[in-house]
Every structure is written in C-alpha cells, then in structure tokens.
Amino acid sequence: MTYCVAIKLNAGLVFLSDSRTNAGLDHISTFRKMIVYEKPGDRFMVLLTAGNLSISQSVREILQVEELKNPETGEGITIWNAKSMFDAARVLGSAIRRVYEHDARALRNDDVGFNVSLVFGGQIKGEGMRLFQVYSPGNFIEATDETPYFQIGESKYGKPVLDRVITPETPLDEAAKCALVSMDSTIKSNLSVGLPLDLVVYEADSLKSDKVVCIDQDNPYYQMLHNSWGQKLRQVFDSIEDPVWDDAHTDIPLKMPARRHATLKKIGTPQEKLI
Amino acid sequence: MTYCVAIKLNAGLVFLSDSRTNAGLDHISTFRKMIVYEKPGDRFMVLLTAGNLSISQSVREILQVEELKNPETGEGITIWNAKSMFDAARVLGSAIRRVYEHDARALRNDDVGFNVSLVFGGQIKGEGMRLFQVYSPGNFIEATDETPYFQIGESKYGKPVLDRVITPETPLDEAAKCALVSMDSTIKSNLSVGLPLDLVVYEADSLKSDKVVCIDQDNPYYQMLHNSWGQKLRQVFDSIEDPVWDDAHTDIPLKMPARRHATLKKIGTPQEKLI
C-alpha cells in the first residue's frame, strides 16, 4: 500500500509520501514514491505515485523522454519545456498512456488491472502554482480553494485531520505538520504504510525548494509529533464528559428504540416478539 | 453505507449503529441496523447488520423461526433457547445460509454479490458475555482481550480512536463515549453514514438493559461531543509546534533526498537529470 498527500495553499505547496510497498503481506519493500523535477528559476514540480509499482516506475522513466506535439508549431512539449503545468500534466497523462499501450494487455492476461494513480503539482515561471490528481487513463482533475488537497493510496485514516485543518490560508509549516499528523494516523492504522517519509515544502513563486527532507523513525520532530499527538488526543478524549443516563422510562414500539430528544435517556428495551 | 461498532469490556458491552442506507447516492433512506433480543433474567443479545439490506432484513426475519437440530436430543435450537452464545451464533449463521439458498443465485444473475456482515453479541444465563463478527457464509470469529471490538461497514475513519482508547478495562460509559466519537468521525467523512444512531449499553451479568437510546441531531450530548471533539482536536493540533527548518545543506544523490537524522533539515533538492 501507499499513502501520499499533497496540499495547495496560498503560501505554497506541501508534498508528503511514505515509502512502503507490498506484494502480499509477506513481501514488504521500501521504494520512494516522490520525484522532484526542478529547473531553478524556471520550474519546480513534484510527482507522487501510488498503485502498481512497475507501472509508476515505467511512467517516471518514460516521462523523461515523453513528448507531446504542439498542434501549431509541431514542436515537442516535454515536462521540461512545457509553458504551463496543465501542459506538463498532459505530458504526464501521455506517458501513462504509453505505458498502458506497452503493458496493459500482458497485465490483463495475468488478471492484473492497469492500476496507477498520481499527484502532480508545482509551478512553472509565468503562471501560478497548480496541483493535479492524475488517473490511470491519463485524465486528471485540479485542486481548487474548496478542495485544496489530494490523497492517493490509503487515504481514509488520514483524511479527518486534513478536513479539520486545511484551508487555502493555512501557513506552509502548519500544513506540513498537518500532513505529518495525517501520515502518522495512517501508519498507525495500516501496516502497509511506513517510514521513511519524503517531505517537500515549496514556497509560492520561489521556483525552487530546498525544504526537502527524508524523515525516518529517528527523526526527533516526527517522534515528538507522534508521541504528543497520541497523548494529547487521549487527554482531549478524557476531557469530554461521559454520557449521563437519567431514569426516565418510556414504553416504545417493539423492535426499535423510540426517538428521544433532550438528554441521553434510559428508555424501554426494544424486543423481538418471542416465538 | 453503514457504520456499526460493538465493544466487549470486562464491565459489559457497547453497541452503536447508524441508520443510513443508500442504493446509489441518489437513493438515501433511513433503516435501523440494530435489533435487541431480550428475555430479562435469561438472555440479552444484540444484532448489528451491514451490507445488502434485503439480505439482512431476511436474515432478521428468518432468525425468528430458524432452528438447528441438537445432534444428541434432536430438539431444535433457536436463539431463544440456545444454552450458549456460540450456539446462538450458529443459529444466526444457519439463518444466513437459508437466505443464501433462497436468494444468492437470483442476485448473482443480476451481478449482485451475496454481501452481508453482522456483529452479534450478548450474554445467556450460565456463561459470560460473548461478541462475534459473522460473515456472509455464516462463519464467525469472536472478540478477545487483544481485539475487544468489531466494526462493520465504513470502518476506517472511526478506527484510530478505538485503537487509542479501548481496552478490556475501559469503563462502560467511557467506551460508549469512544464509540460515539468513532461514529462522529465517520459521519463527518462519509456522507452515506448518518443519524439517527442507536446505542445500547449492557452491564455484565444483568441479562437485561434499559440503557437503550436513539440519538438524533437534536440530542444535546451528541451535539456537545461533536462540537467539543472538533474544537479540542484543533487546539491539540495548534499546541504541537510546527517543524523547524535549519540551514544545514548537504549534497545528495540524484532522484532522492538523503536520509537525514537529527532535526528536520533543509537538504539539497533531488532532481531528475535534465534531458
């Protein structure tokens, strides 16, 4: 499995990926799922991959040479000369389709679906930052102010904290912290997501980043976050009062509790009719 | 979708279910997913159901008349005369198989799988409390001290808080609170899980319960829990310091960040080789 998350903020972009892959629970390996494409001062792009590892590795390889023809000029568009992130995302989609043509039938013969999902974001000089989620067919959607983040892989455990915290106004380092909490919850709940983590924080319009780090179990910040999040969640839980049951009692229809308002009340017990 | 959770503690049992069903996102309905079977002083049992509603309703219906033959005496065992929860669970499994014989082929003809999952727990006079998860084929597993709870339906969003809080020593009302927090996180993240909720709290060896309540959006305890959990989670998040980046800089191999220990450091940017 895999968990990757990318967040688009007014202040910049945050990318985080785990590095665990598994071919069955008895075959766990470590593969990085983040690639940074940078031409300082011109473009900064990050690709996160989930799904079939052979497909995502082939896509990354082919992406280096993939060209789309510009309909007017006829010249080739690559991720390195594309004038917009939209064009770069189309080059990526085209690379996925190239791998599909080459591998999909053979995979299908082995009952393996063509399964890959990617997040691709960054900034090219002359336009704003953009963040895309790219699907197996090579089509993609773009993040908006209403939905400023994308997840791929095991997304559910880590989603609630993103929904509670992330808005376009969230500061960069706070969003990085939120992504790490989201990853921590996922790692706690899914064995097939694991350290080390790759984290990139990109500041808007910088067209480069040196906030790039690999985080393993010895990283003191991640250790602190992991421990205090767990402890403090527990404190919050304890600080909420337990339900109070009063002694009000009501006859209720068979088979289901009556709908009660006001405080949590003891009410009569629904029963199946005895045969 | 559905979310149900049941917890087995030394002090008793907690059962919680939502009541939303959907046949496609354009067809949302409210159906209760909890049934209480009670013969005060003799047995108290609760059944939670998820999956295909027509199957679970048929199972509940047939369960009223289903009999297993006692191999020695040849007399019929029902959930109302079974001498152990294990036997009662076998009667339930047998009811599922009866529905399978009746409906599975017709469902398969329409490309609908025979999909039902159930949680069944309680206590019969003469033995301790027991909690089972029952699968579509009618087989089942039992909760243990190491795994004192079962979830069915949309289980992921609500799992982390259960893992952090629940042990066999957890007090009943605290476990009820934990189940409600788990439900609240699930409802927040999955539109197809919704109020009203059915909650039952059973005290060990009481062989009855009048702590049975239906919780809707007007329930002040649930409102309090919903609001304070959200606010306090946010406070905890804010109380954890943001990552600190220092200015250490290291040359690193192409394509991936170097593994760094110590604090979160700025390190050189991994780059794809330019073509």
Side-chain angles (χ1 to χ4, degrees), chain A residues 28-204:
Chain A
I28 303 279
S29 317
T30 297
F31 286 92
R32 321 304 286 270
K33 299 156 188 178
M34 177 189 290
I35 292 286
V36 177
Y37 304 91
E38 179 182 54
K39 209 190 277 179
D42 176 66
R43 65 195 58 214
F44 182 86
M45 305 177 291
V46 176
L47 176 63
L48 306 174
T49 60
N52 183 303
L53 184 63
S54 73
I55 298 174
S56 54
Q57 287 187 339
S58 300
V59 168
R60 282 155 49 160
E61 196 71 25
I62 288 182
L63 190 56
Q64 292 300 307
V65 295
E66 181 65 10
E67 286 195 340
L68 275 180
K69 287 275 171 269
N70 176 323
E72 289 103 45
T73 66
E75 78 191 6
I77 305 172
T78 72
I79 58 166
W80 293 112
N81 68 13
K83 293 192 170 38
S84 71
M85 282 297 296
F86 183 85
D87 283 351
R90 288 180 57 226
V91 175
L92 175 58
S94 172
I96 296 171
R97 290 164 188 175
R98 193 87 55 180
V99 176
Y100 182 91
E101 291 157 14
H102 188 269
D103 292 340
R105 182 188 298 162
L107 289 170
R108 198 166 42 240
N109 292 345
D110 202 24
D111 288 329
V112 177
F114 188 82
N115 162 32
V116 66
S117 59
L118 307 95
V119 168
F120 182 63
Q123 185 171 21
I124 292 175
K125 192 176 185 180
E127 71 166 8
M129 302 173 294
R130 302 180 71 171
L131 180 64
F132 300 97
Q133 177 157 8
V134 187
Y135 301 104
S136 299
N139 60 325
F140 49 82
I141 59 174
E142 181 169 11
T144 62
D145 283 358
E146 298 70 39
T147 306
Y149 68 87
F150 286 133
Q151 302 169 289
I152 51 177
E154 175 57 277
S155 61
K156 290 187 176 184
Y157 299 114
K159 187 172 185 296
V161 69
L162 295 167
D163 288 333
R164 291 183 195 275
V165 171
I166 298 298
T167 74
E169 290 70 39
T170 307
L172 266 179
D173 285 340
E174 184 175 322
K177 178 176 69 172
C178 185
L180 288 168
V181 170
S182 174
M183 179 65 75
D184 182 53
S185 303
T186 308
I187 288 174
K188 182 173 174 54
S189 299
N190 188 328
L191 273 182
S192 66
V193 175
L195 302 172
L197 311 176
D198 293 317
L199 172 67
V200 167
V201 174
Y202 171 79
E203 287 164 30

Side-chain angles (χ1 to χ4, degrees), chain B residues 15-36:
Chain B
F15 300 87
L16 179 66
S17 61
D18 87 312
S19 61
R20 186 161 295 176
T21 65
N22 63 299
L25 272 175
D26 56 350
H27 187 172
I28 304 279
S29 317
T30 297
F31 286 93
R32 322 301 288 271
K33 299 156 188 177
M34 176 189 290
I35 292 286
V36 177

Side-chain angles (χ1 to χ4, degrees), chain A residues 177 209 212 220 240 262 267 269, chain B residues 177 209 212 220 237 240 262 267 269:
Chain A
K177 178 176 69 172
S209 172
V212 178
I240 297 177
I267 59 177
T269 304
Chain B
K177 178 176 68 172
S209 173
V212 177
F237 181 81
I240 297 176
I267 57 176
T269 304

